[in-house]
Amino acid sequence: GVGGGAGGVGGGEDALRRGVWDEGEAEWTMRDEPTDDAAEWPGVTVEGGRVTRLDWLLFIAGGAPLTGTIPAEIGALDGLTKLDLSGNEICGQLPPEMGRLTSLAELHLNHNCLEGPLPAELGDLASLTHLYLQKNNFAGEVPSTLANLTNVRCLSLYDNNFSTDVPTKAIFGKEAQQYIGTLGPRLVGRSVPEPPPATKVVVDLKPVTCSIEEVHQSLSGGSRVLSRQTFTVYKPVYGNKCAERASNSFLCKKK
């Protein structure tokens, strides 16, 4: 399922199936008959019976660009660590099944005719360190799930039709991580609610006549009489319970 066919990558497929590297001439040549053994195809690395790398950039395909779309079956190649389809004429949208390539460290899809929004599932590629998507026709917002790509060190998104602001060139290292960080979860179409209004405390001072003996008793709990001088005590009367807890004090003024 790596080759062309309906709904898959085609075009230069015959060159891939017939291509062979000539060590002596240090160039790609064509075998007489194509092979269906992907391990013998140029640009395909197979380890332990699993395809781990697809380096199908244009010059590997013998100068004939790959066309067609990336099929959903790409998700079955979950052993891939590198996928390079750059410099071809691949079109259509990226299938969400690409999110199953959780071992993928490098994704090179630049210089193609890919379009539509990026699938949110790209944020599942936690092992990704290199992401090159420049010079395509991708549109819509860059998904916030890309904030999960905390291992990305090389990022290139320019020359697309994104509605999200993207860097105008490839960025690397700390700069790439800083941009990735700006893609975190966003509140779309929601305003931050206003804080509740502060509780209004209404305080009224009610005059109460008392003696110094009464004041002494209320403060210390004793019963010793110091004098019988008369005071006017202004006792706070609060408009709500919150205010009642705010103060225990009396304001006193001698007559």
Side-chain angles (χ1 to χ4, degrees), residues 2 11 42 45 94 112 134 158 162 183 185 189 192 210 219 228 240:
V2 218
T45 302
L94 295 185
N112 275 287
Q134 76 270 21
Y158 66 92
F162 292 121
L183 299 174
V192 179
C210 60
L219 295 177
R228 289 291 180 182
N240 54 49

Side-chain angles (χ1 to χ4, degrees), residues 65-77:
L66 297 174
T67 59
T69 60
I70 298 176
E73 288 79 7
I74 191 75
L77 300 178

Side-chain angles (χ1 to χ4, degrees), residues 116-144:
L118 296 179
E121 288 79 2
L122 285 183
D124 295 335
L125 305 181
S127 301
L128 209 60
T129 59
H130 296 66
L131 179 59
Y132 291 94
L133 301 177
Q134 76 270 21
K135 292 190 177 292
N136 279 286
N137 297 312
F138 291 120
E141 287 198 350
V142 176
S144 60

